[in-house]
């Protein structure tokens, strides 16, 4: 934290501008040594200065230098940003010179890590920075921005305040029983507060499912036996000829991937090899890979040929899939139907074809209904955005359930405080009030350098 750090904060390559960012107590003096223009050590905060970067007598580049002084900066340290001409050679040369003058290369995510450790943002806001950078849709961007603004942090802090107030009242009752003007904390009060907190945590965990859909997208696989139209459906959904389509069985031997956007939510589509018994070694590997993807998918599109009677392979596939996350797609509805619908009565079913322009519109509508995409798009909800946050809330939820169970067993009030304190600490871990260095190092290691 005492070092002055530097990194390139823009993607390397051809471009109009690159930004080299420096943070730390020596940021301004270091850049002043290599800047030909105004004396930066006397420059007011949050000002931009025109000049040249030089090394000894050599001019390196024409630049604009932004001075931002502590504490009104992202890291709450002095920050200097050098806007130079884009390109690998020039940008790297400026970085090299700054390193020679006493800065060190920033670790991945170290600027954001310093913002957290210096108290400018909490842990959920730090995680939101990376979510914002990696957002795959406009809804994901809005979600990350809401978290960056502190929506989740404020919600967690409110829950901790309720626990803190309850703990304080219990402690006063235990330590000062002789005072008559204090509120007596009864088992009923603890039970009522615990149920209220439980309801809040249930909502967070339920909404986390929508948050995951927004952030990660919907992992979607298309399965079925050969020649039922899986690749044609993929191509229609994508609006391009991504997969090869022929009348020859086994044409698709490996997975084919693509992404589509439905109501702002990304569907990560995977077209799998046609599932059948085969002696072809390469095709067999593709079939095994297709089957292995079923359990990991958020959405399964099981394609059947509506113009044919169900085969044994069709029936086997219907047994393998989870009905809750499967849409049975009866393809080729432009032909006479021969399929017995009693075999698929427990599934969500749509009828499609890839010959007509609107042949798969009903499939898109069914996907929207299944994942409540219209609801997700239109609500402003506080989401848990990653597995770390969800895990801590689940632990808190389980302890609350345990408290309610202990209340039914007439456990003394002072014993319940241990569990309440554990929940208070776990919620503190969500926002970074409580943390270990190992967890923090691991979290920020996944950030990009320069952020």
């Amino acid at each position: 934290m005492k070092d002055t750090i530097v990194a390139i904060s823009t993607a390397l390559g051809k471009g109009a501008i690159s930004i080299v960012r420096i943070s730390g107590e020596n940021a301004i003096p270091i850049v002043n040594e290599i800047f030909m223009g105004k004396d930066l050590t006397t420059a007011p905060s949050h000002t931009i200065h025109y000049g040249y970067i030089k090394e000894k007598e050599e001019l390196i580049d024409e630049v604009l230098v932004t001075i931002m002084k502590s504490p009104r900066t992202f890291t709450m340290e002095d920050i200097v940003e050098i806007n130079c001409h884009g390109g690998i050679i020039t940008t790297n040369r400026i970085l090299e010179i700054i390193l020679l003058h006493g800065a060190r290369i920033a670790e991945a995510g170290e600027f954001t890590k310093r913002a957290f450790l210096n108290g400018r943002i909490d842990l959920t806001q730090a995680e939101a920075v990376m979510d914002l950078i990696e957002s795959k849709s406009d809804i994901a961007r809005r979600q990350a921005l809401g978290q960056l603004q502190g929506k989740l942090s404020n919600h967690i802090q409110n829950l901790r305040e309720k626990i803190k107030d309850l703990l304080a009242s219990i402690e006063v009752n235990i330590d000062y029983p002789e005072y008559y003007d204090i509120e007596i904390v009864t088992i009923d009060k603890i039970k009522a507060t615990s149920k209220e907190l439980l309801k809040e945590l249930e909502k967070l965990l339920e909404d986390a499912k929508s948050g995951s859909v927004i952030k990660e997208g919907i992992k979607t696989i298309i399965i079925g036996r050969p020649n039922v139209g899986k690749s044609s459906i993929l191509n229609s959904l994508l609006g391009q000829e991504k997969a090869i389509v022929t009348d020859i069985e086994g044409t698709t031997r490996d997975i084919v991937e693509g992404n589509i956007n439905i109501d702002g939510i990304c569907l990560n589509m995977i077209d799998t090899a046609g599932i059948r018994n085969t002696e072809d070694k390469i095709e067999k590997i593709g079939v095994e890979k297709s089957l292995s993807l079923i359990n990991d998918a958020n959405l399964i599109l099981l394609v059947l040929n509506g113009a044919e009677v169900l085969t044994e392979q069709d029936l086997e596939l219907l047994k393998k899939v989870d009905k809750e996350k499967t849409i049975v797609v009866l393809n080729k509805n432009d032909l006479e139907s021969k399929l017995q619908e009693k075999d698929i009565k427990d599934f969500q079913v749509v009828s499609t074809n890839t010959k007509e322009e609107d042949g798969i519109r009903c499939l898109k509508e069914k996907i929207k209904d299944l994942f409540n995409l219209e609801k997700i798009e239109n609500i402003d909800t506080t989401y848990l955005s990653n597995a770390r946050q969800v895990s801590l809330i689940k632990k808190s939820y389980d302890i609350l359930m345990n408290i309610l169970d202990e209340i039914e067993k007439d456990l003394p009030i002072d014993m319940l405080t241990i569990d309440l304190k554990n929940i208070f600490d776990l919620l503190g871990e969500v926002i970074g009030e409580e943390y270990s260095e190992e967890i923090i190092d691991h979290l920020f290691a996944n950030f990009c350098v320069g952020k």
Side-chain angles (χ1 to χ4, degrees), residues 205-221:
L205 290 172
E206 185 61 32
D207 288 342
K209 297 173 185 177
S210 296
S212 177
V213 167
I214 290 171
K215 181 181 174 183
E216 305 295 338
I218 301 170
K219 187 175 181 181
T220 306
I221 67 165

Side-chain angles (χ1 to χ4, degrees), residues 9 29 152 215 384 396:
S9 291
L152 179 60
K215 181 181 174 183
L384 302 172
S396 302

Side-chain angles (χ1 to χ4, degrees), residues 194-204 397 400:
S194 296
K195 284 185 174 180
E196 184 183 336
L197 290 168
L198 195 69
K199 189 175 180 181
E200 295 276 6
L201 296 186
E202 279 179 347
K203 187 173 187 310
L204 278 173
Y397 178 88
L400 267 175

Side-chain angles (χ1 to χ4, degrees), residues 114 136 357 363:
R114 290 189 175 200
K136 300 174 182 176
E357 189 174 342
L363 176 56

Side-chain angles (χ1 to χ4, degrees), residues 4 6 30-31 33-34 54-56 58 60 92-105:
T4 297
V6 61
I30 285 174
V31 176
E33 290 176 7
I34 62 172
K54 62 179 179 63
E55 176 64 351
K56 297 179 181 176
E58 180 189 1
I60 305 301
N92 277 337
R93 183 77 174 102
I94 292 173
L95 176 66
E96 177 188 326
I97 292 167
I98 293 168
L99 292 171
L100 289 173
H101 282 259
R104 71 162 170 82
I105 283 283

